[in-house]
Amino acid sequence: MCPRCEDHHARPRDWRIVSRFAELADAPLTVGPGAAYAIFDGLFQQGLLRQLAGQEAAAEELRARVEVLLDGLLVRGS
């Protein structure tokens, strides 16, 4: 699959995940679909590069970063 085709499918998939997380948390998001995609695409790219470099903890670090990032994208009440 070409990189552009992957982006075409990944962007809506990522948005469905992020927007569903916000829905379940009953909190609005601080970003829109394009920004969410760019943020997560960069995060996953970093995780992949760490994995390819042989860093054993790469997958666990990625999981932890995704959790922190998802929570950080929510507007929380005061």
Side-chain angles (χ1 to χ4, degrees), residues 28-60:
L29 289 162
T30 61
V31 298
Y37 170 74
I39 293 166
F40 281 99
D41 186 56
L43 193 63
F44 289 129
Q45 181 181 20
Q46 289 177 0
L48 176 61
L49 292 173
R50 287 185 177 108
Q51 182 72 32
L52 293 173
Q55 294 182 12
E56 292 182 21
E60 180 56 31

Side-chain angles (χ1 to χ4, degrees), residues 14-34:
D14 290 354
W15 182 246
R16 281 192 306 273
I17 293 167
V18 171
S19 60
R20 180 68 175 142
F21 179 79
E23 182 182 325
L24 291 170
D26 195 28
L29 289 162
T30 61
V31 298

Side-chain angles (χ1 to χ4, degrees), residues 50-71:
R50 287 185 177 108
Q51 182 72 32
L52 293 173
Q55 294 182 12
E56 292 182 21
E60 180 56 31
E61 289 172 5
L62 175 60
R63 185 199 60 75
R65 288 182 175 130
V66 166
E67 285 183 15
V68 169
L69 181 58
L70 278 171
D71 193 55

